[in-house]
């Protein structure tokens, strides 16, 4: 590999660097095989939109971890807030009240539209989905009896790896271990207009009929605001009809914003692209740009279905994690990072569309703001090409653009999601490197 040396990128060793091999070997020996999925880039420092290893290599980050570092990596404001809270003699307080937890839920509620008035803090994205499922079912039973328990979600969706989140997900291979799948989880085609041609809302109702589901028995519809595996959004008209349908059938509309929230899509909340508001929303990842914390927001009548002490979590609103989230949200707001994502996103998507016009092995470019999915397809047809996607990712890394492993249907989608602080020169330079990586991979 030729060395790379620009103001933003530096690749000066073999990859992976020989010195990193003992650590990689330790991880391989002790961690589960399942943890081996990512390219072997050993992170040592991550600052702003760049990631470095200990051996002189530096990448423009197109991963944000996995859509975590919205406000940028290693931000001083966040590190200072964490340090201040960590040395303030309060490291944990379970569900006992704390001022910092009050500050965070109040902040989140103030940023959310009506009717999302109540906020419950958790630790991971999967937990927020589990909580959303619990709310849907409790709501269904309350409003329509036990038959009203069906949770509708979407094929190819990913909502996390715990039992309920995995069943709400739409990836069959990830559910094989469950064996006795709950028939109250039903997935229908996601209206992306490409893999699913029919994007009309009638297709939603038709799919339910085909699955033998009575609308009256639907407790909730859970959807990623955009599909993580492709970065595809649904048409706004479909979403408006879905919103009406849910209201009409007393089903909760849940939007999983674990990837889409906190400015990622060029708006504070991804659902703003649809002009609707859900009844329940799930947040994680970019909420803190750092420590593990997540949140569910919901209508008060929905969130308050469960009596005291029946919906809690040991680490809810951990004070150090709250400090991180408050500092990250303050940066997203103060620096208008949603606005930067919108501006940089215009450049990113225009350049990717231009690349698609030159590269027939790109079947589709999806996404909004600073999230994009580039679907790699086989020559002569539109089936996903996971091998090509991997070659592109590896080649990009060799050129100093850090990407995570391909995702989505057939593992064919190369996902682009830099921290929202990326600057135009760094973005343009990384797009150029990516275009070269693609050309060298086909
Ligand atoms: C849309 C979505 N929901 C939920 C999750 C699960 O989040 P976590 O890994 O924090 O449990 C993810 C993780 O990738 C996700 O992308």
């Amino acid at each position: 590999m030729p060395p790379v040396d620009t103001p933003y990128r530096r690749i000066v060793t073999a990859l992976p660097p020989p010195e990193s091999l003992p650590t990689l070997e330790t991880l391989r020996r002790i961690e589960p095989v399942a943890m081996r999925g990512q390219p072997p880039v050993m992170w040592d420092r991550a600052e702003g939109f760049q990631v470095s290893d200990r051996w002189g290599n530096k990448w423009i980050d197109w991963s944000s971890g996995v859509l975590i570092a919205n406000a940028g990596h290693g931000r001083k404001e966040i590190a200072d807030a964490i340090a201040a809270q960590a040395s303030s003699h309060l490291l944990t307080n379970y569900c006992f009240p704390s001022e910092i937890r009050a500050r965070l839920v109040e902040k989140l509620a103030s940023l959310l539209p009506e009717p999302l008035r109540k906020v419950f803090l958790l630790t991971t994205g999967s937990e927020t989905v589990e909580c959303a499922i619990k709310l849907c079912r409790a709501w269904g039973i309350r409003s329509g009896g036990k038959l009203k328990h069906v949770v509708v979600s979407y094929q190819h969706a990913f909502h996390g790896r715990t039992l309920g989140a995995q069943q709400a997900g739409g990836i069959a291979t990830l559910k094989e271990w469950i064996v006795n799948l709950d028939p109250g989880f039903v997935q229908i085609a996601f209206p992306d207009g490409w893999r699913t041609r029919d994007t009309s809302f009638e297709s939603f109702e038709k799919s339910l009929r085909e699955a033998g589901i009575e609308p009256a028995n639907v407790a909730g519809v859970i959807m990623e605001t955009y599909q993580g595996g492709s970065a595809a959004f649904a048409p706004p008209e479909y979403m408006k009809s879905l919103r009406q349908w849910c209201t009409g059938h007393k089903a909760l509309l849940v939007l999983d914003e674990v990837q889409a929230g906190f400015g990622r899509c060029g708006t504070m909340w991804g659902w703003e692209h649809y002009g609707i508001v859900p009844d329940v929303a799930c947040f994680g990842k970019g909420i803190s740009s750092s420590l593990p914390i997540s949140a569910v927001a919901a209508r008060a009548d929905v969130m308050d279905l469960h009596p005291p002490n029946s919906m809690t979590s040991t680490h809810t609103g951990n004070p150090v994690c709250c400090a991180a989230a408050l500092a990250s949200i303050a940066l997203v707001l103060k620096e208008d990072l949603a606005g930067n994502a919108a501006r940089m996103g215009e450049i990113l998507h225009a350049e990717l569309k231009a690349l698609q016009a030159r590269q027939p092995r790109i079947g589709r470019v999806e996404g909004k703001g600073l999230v994009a999915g580039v679907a790699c397809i086989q020559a002569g047809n539109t089936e996903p090409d996971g091998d090509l996607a991997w070659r592109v990712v590896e080649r990009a890394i060799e050129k100093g653009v850090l990407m995570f492993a391909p995702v989505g249907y057939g593992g064919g989608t190369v996902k682009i999601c830099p921290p929202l602080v990326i600057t135009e020169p760094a973005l343009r330079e990384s797009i150029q490197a990516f275009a070269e990586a693609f050309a060298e991979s086909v």
Side-chain angles (χ1 to χ4, degrees):
M1 296 168 310
V4 176
D5 197 358
T6 79
Y8 300 115
R9 296 172 292 145
R10 199 155 174 268
I11 303 294
V12 289
T13 70
L15 292 180
E19 297 90 334
S20 69
L21 296 181
T23 308
L24 292 174
E25 194 37 54
T26 302
L27 293 170
R28 283 174 79 89
R29 202 172 63 248
I30 297 172
E31 288 191 331
V33 170
M35 280 291 288
R36 291 185 197 168
Q38 293 306 324
V41 172
M42 188 114 49
W43 293 37
D44 183 54
R45 294 176 76 93
E47 291 161 303
F49 55 81
Q50 286 164 303
V51 171
S52 310
D53 68 13
R54 280 176 52 195
W55 301 283
N57 302 309
K58 186 185 265 191
W59 290 263
I60 295 176
D61 179 29
W62 269 16
S63 74
S64 298
V66 58
L67 299 111
I68 305 164
N70 284 23
H73 289 290
R75 292 296 302 266
K76 184 175 183 316
E77 294 84 343
I78 299 176
D80 286 349
I82 291 171
Q85 183 60 40
S87 52
S88 77
H89 309 289
L90 187 66
L91 292 177
T92 187
N93 56 291
Y94 177 54
C95 300
F96 292 97
S98 77
E99 278 180 21
I100 196 157
R101 192 170 88 228
R103 287 222 307 279
L104 180 56
V105 293
E106 190 175 38
K107 183 72 196 171
L108 288 167
S110 76
L111 294 172
L112 289 164
E114 290 284 350
L116 300 173
R117 287 284 62 97
K118 288 251 173 168
V119 177
F120 175 37
L121 298 174
L122 287 159
T123 311
T124 68
S126 303
E127 284 174 290
T128 66
V129 174
E130 295 291 340
C131 175
I133 292 167
K134 181 169 172 170
L135 292 174
C136 285
R137 287 212 159 157
W139 167 258
I141 293 166
R142 179 71 64 91
S143 61
K146 285 194 175 163
L147 282 178
K148 192 173 176 65
H149 69 272
V150 177
V151 173
V152 178
S153 54
Y154 287 84
Q155 289 159 11
H156 304 302
F158 184 79
H159 295 287
R161 297 197 190 275
T162 51
L163 189 62
Q166 200 98 83
Q167 292 194 79
I171 304 170
T173 48
L174 297 184
K175 303 196 246 193
E176 279 163 7
W177 63 278
I178 300 175
V179 185
N180 51 341
L181 288 169
D182 181 337
F185 285 91
V186 173
Q187 285 91 55
I188 61 173
F190 184 86
D192 66 356
W194 185 46
R195 300 263 179 224
T196 305
R197 290 266 166 223
D198 186 357
T199 61
S200 69
F201 188 68
E202 289 74 58
S203 66
F204 175 90
E205 293 171 307
K206 186 164 158 252
S207 303
L208 288 192
R209 274 198 305 279
E210 284 168 1
I213 305 293
E214 281 294 327
N217 293 341
V218 175
V221 179
I222 301 187
M223 180 195 255
E224 294 166 286
T225 302
Y226 65 79
Q227 282 221 305
S230 62
F233 281 71
E237 311 77 57
Y238 177 102
M239 293 305 289
K240 291 196 174 82
S241 301
L242 178 61
R243 174 65 280 179
Q244 278 175 7
W245 188 93
C246 286
T247 305
H249 290 91
K250 291 197 170 60
L252 298 180
L253 177 58
V254 180
L255 286 179
D256 177 346
E257 288 257 323
V258 168
Q259 288 201 12
F262 298 96
R264 171 61 58 189
C265 307
T267 47
M268 190 62 176
W269 314 119
W271 66 62
E272 291 172 55
H273 290 286
Y274 296 136
I276 59 155
V277 177
D279 302 298
V280 180
C282 301
F283 304 104
K285 295 186 188 285
I287 187 172
S288 70
S289 301
S290 55
L291 300 189
I293 181 164
S294 61
V296 183
R299 282 169 23 196
D301 58 332
V302 172
M303 195 72 102
D304 288 339
L305 284 167
H306 295 277
N309 265 340
S310 63
M311 205 171 70
T312 62
S313 179
T314 300
H315 293 296
T316 183
N318 171 278
V320 184
C321 298
C322 283
L326 280 162
S328 180
I329 293 167
L331 286 170
V332 169
L333 294 173
K334 183 167 136 246
E335 299 180 355
D336 183 25
L337 295 182
N340 195 52
R343 287 184 294 277
M344 294 302 111
E346 296 229 332
I347 297 169
L348 176 67
H349 290 279
E351 292 292 331
L352 291 175
K353 289 262 155 63
L355 180 65
Q356 182 188 12
R358 305 196 296 278
Q359 292 289 358
R361 301 289 293 281
I362 298 180
R364 189 88 165 175
V365 175
E366 300 277 14
K368 292 185 192 301
L370 278 178
V371 60
V374 175
C376 300
I377 54 171
Q378 296 172 10
N381 64 65
T382 57
E383 285 304 296
D385 191 333
D387 292 337
L388 171 59
W390 255 114
R391 286 198 300 278
V392 173
V393 165
E394 283 170 352
R395 201 76 196 92
I397 289 173
E398 288 166 4
K399 287 176 179 292
V401 176
L402 183 57
M403 310 188 76
F404 52 71
V407 295
Y409 174 53
T413 303
V414 173
K415 195 103 166 266
I416 300 170
C417 29
L420 310 186
V421 291
I422 196 163
T423 59
E424 184 172 340
L427 181 68
R428 288 196 184 277
E429 182 178 307
S430 44
I431 294 169
Q432 176 61 32
F434 177 75
E436 288 166 18
F438 204 100
E440 292 165 20
S441 302
V442 285

